[in-house]
Amino acid sequence: AVGWSDSTPIDFAIGQKLGFDFNWYSAFHPITDLWPCFEPKVIAQFPDGSSHQMQYDGVIVLQRPGAGSIPSEVGHTLKDRKSWQEHYLPRLQFHTDRIEKALVNTGDAMIAWEKGGFDFLHSGKRSFHCGLMCGSLFGQIRNWLGVENSIYLYMDDPGLFQEIIDTSANLRYACVQYVLNKGVTFDFAHFWEDICFKNGPLIDPEVFARFVGPHYKRITELLNAHGIDIVSVDCDGLIDALIPVWFENGVNTMFPIEVGTWNASIQPWRQRYGRQLRGVGGMNKVVFAQDYAAIDAEVERLKSLVELGGYIPCPDHRIAPDAKWENVQYYCEKMKKAFGG
């Protein structure tokens, strides 16, 4: 759809048409990232129509005309301690405007926030599910530095590596604390990372546990103290090696459980970690390009997983371009009948 992107009114309307009443964007979003962000601008223009562009996070990417995939990174503003102190550290300081100017996405939640501010977040005064977005503790840093640079920085300047992580995490903690101290309540809390690919993590799990794990624990303990017991993380790729770090530090719900080429499933995780580990995702969306029989088989496969409890099946990420609209509609109807939605 023209004008569509995550959390827009168009996105919300499509979800309603398919019978959805919730997604991860039904949440309160404090500004936990760079603030103010970098001004997006064209750095260089080339004869073929492509260009190098500065993004909001200081990353320089190659944009090609008509390309629909994630653009290639060609440069990073964050390179060393000098660029950290000049361009990033000042943008990672807490201010109450990060909360007062926060984003509340998706339909009714957005309208209610604009009309009533924090008052609408009290559970007794709202008719929709609402989560608290806690930001990213390493994924955003990986973006600022780039994958290779983040790995080199850990070896070349571990002090700066830790300072960047600690500064960023302390800002997230301060935002979460400020919101919760307002006395508002949430149905869940959510982190974003995206620090894995099809063969495993983009960071050494031991490094992640040492530098990032304690910050997860600190924030999740704060969430738990305010009655939030569902804490989820959005991380793409093969996440198995990082699950112990998240789970031991208070994150108990994994998303999106990418089927991918490695057939991720909640079942082996449940066997290892028990019923306290929950999940969302794990549906093989390639069936949308096939036929009703393939969809029927996928729904049947999911039944035994849903019976485990604490698991909500759904497609990971966006629906592929080769999907047939009638197949998506058929799948939604089958899911409602199979699982009482």
Side-chain angles (χ1 to χ4, degrees), residues 170-188:
N170 287 339
L171 170 60
R172 271 72 175 177
Y173 183 92
C175 288
V176 170
Q177 184 180 50
Y178 184 89
V179 174
L180 294 178
N181 283 346
K182 286 287 186 177
V184 297
T185 55
F186 296 93
D187 300 296
F188 65 94

Side-chain angles (χ1 to χ4, degrees), residues 174-285:
C175 288
V176 170
Q177 184 180 50
Y178 184 89
V179 174
L180 294 178
N181 283 346
K182 286 287 186 177
V184 297
T185 55
F186 296 93
D187 300 296
F188 65 94
H190 189 56
F191 292 89
W192 172 88
E193 291 296 5
D194 281 5
I195 49 176
C196 297
F197 71 127
K198 68 176 183 178
N199 293 323
L202 297 169
I203 179 174
D204 185 325
E206 293 184 4
V207 173
F208 188 69
R210 175 185 169 192
F211 287 89
V212 186
H215 289 298
Y216 264 107
K217 187 174 183 62
R218 183 178 175 220
I219 295 175
T220 59
E221 286 181 344
L222 177 62
L223 295 167
N224 295 161
H226 285 79
I228 302 173
D229 58 1
I230 300 295
V231 182
S232 56
V233 62
D234 176 347
C235 186
D236 302 347
L238 182 60
I239 67 173
D240 296 55
L242 295 186
I243 290 178
V245 183
W246 282 314
F247 191 59
E248 291 165 9
N249 289 289
V251 179
N252 58 15
T253 306
M254 306 298 151
F255 171 81
I257 313 181
E258 287 189 89
V259 176
T261 59
W262 56 95
N263 295 316
S265 169
I266 192 175
Q267 187 167 22
W269 303 345
R270 180 61 62 75
Q271 291 172 346
R272 178 175 177 180
Y273 302 102
R275 289 180 60 84
Q276 290 304 307
L277 187 139
R278 304 166 176 89
V280 178
M283 178 266 175
N284 190 358
K285 64 189 178 186

Side-chain angles (χ1 to χ4, degrees), residues 38 76-91 145 153 157 160 163-164:
F38 288 86
H76 298 84
T77 303
L78 181 55
K79 299 177 180 179
D80 50 24
R81 181 169 291 279
K82 182 176 183 297
S83 57
W84 160 249
Q85 293 179 338
E86 180 178 355
H87 297 294
Y88 286 80
L89 183 59
R91 288 179 160 95
L145 287 163
L153 184 63
D157 193 341
L160 177 58
E163 182 180 335
I164 293 174

